[in-house]
Amino acid sequence: MEKIEIGKVSAPVAMKGEIKILSYSDEPDRFETIGRVIIGGTEHEIESVRYKGAAPIIKVSGIDDRDASEAAKGKPVYMYAEDLPELEEGEFYVRDMIGAAVVREDGSAVGTLKDISGASGQDMYIVEREGAKDLLIPGVPEFICDVDLESRKVTVRLIDGLEDL
């Protein structure tokens, strides 16, 4: 089964095996909906989830004391791809588009989709270009014309000067 890295264990919490997670997910309730995670190569059932600020603190089967939660510190946390929720029409997972060709409306090549970052509060498409620095394209309809999952192609409209930044 395909696994997706969704975070890492950042710290043990208290004495009963709870662990604090540095979550990579843009869905704050991800750990409440999936039911199981893989930590250090071992599958664990999620027994409970609570939050400290935005950070999930989870209790999983098999990590039952401070020593076990301490041993998990720094390990990646995965979920199974089959546990991902179904998407609405026109939605896609970023992981499915990484490596897609990025082209202008006239079909000319821009580069390859390297990532989509939401760190600034707005999605930015990061496009790797041969012989040039990465291009950042705002993820709004004025710039992103089409995302075609089947052909793995993103069609963009670029304004004058954007490629020179």
Side-chain angles (χ1 to χ4, degrees):
M1 284 190 276
E2 182 184 358
K3 298 184 297 186
I4 301 165
E5 188 171 355
I6 58 171
K8 75 174 183 177
V9 178
S10 63
V13 177
M15 302 304 288
K16 295 185 179 180
E18 287 183 310
I19 50 178
K20 184 176 180 182
I21 304 294
L22 171 61
S23 177
Y24 304 152
S25 176
D26 60 352
E27 294 182 30
D29 65 346
R30 165 80 67 206
F31 294 91
E32 294 176 47
T33 60
I34 57 176
R36 60 188 175 168
V37 291
I38 301 95
I39 301 171
T42 303
E43 182 178 310
H44 301 273
E45 296 296 318
I46 296 176
E47 296 175 352
S48 66
V49 180
R50 63 185 178 94
Y51 299 89
K52 181 164 183 155
I57 296 173
I58 65 174
K59 171 66 181 87
V60 298
S61 62
I63 298 180
D64 297 317
D65 59 28
R66 179 73 179 203
D67 290 339
S69 60
E70 193 71 54
K73 184 177 177 180
K75 291 185 178 176
V77 178
Y78 297 92
M79 68 177 285
Y80 292 112
E82 69 183 33
D83 291 339
L84 287 168
E86 291 294 319
L87 295 176
E88 299 291 324
E89 179 79 25
E91 292 183 328
F92 59 91
Y93 288 110
V94 171
R95 69 186 188 86
D96 295 334
M97 289 306 298
I98 300 300
V102 179
V103 299
R104 292 175 189 81
E105 291 176 288
D106 66 6
S108 60
V110 176
T112 303
L113 187 65
K114 183 177 179 180
D115 200 0
I116 299 176
S117 172
S120 65
Q122 172 183 318
D123 285 345
M124 294 296 284
Y125 285 53
I126 303 168
V127 180
E128 187 172 46
R129 301 182 293 171
E130 192 171 318
K133 67 180 184 175
D134 291 349
L135 178 63
L136 301 177
I137 302 173
V140 295
E142 291 81 13
F143 293 98
I144 308 299
C145 303
D146 185 52
V147 175
D148 185 341
L149 284 173
E150 209 167 288
S151 65
R152 296 188 39 81
K153 181 172 71 174
V154 179
T155 304
V156 298
R157 178 180 306 120
L158 302 178
I159 59 174
D160 290 339
L162 182 64
E163 292 181 84
D164 301 326
L165 295 177

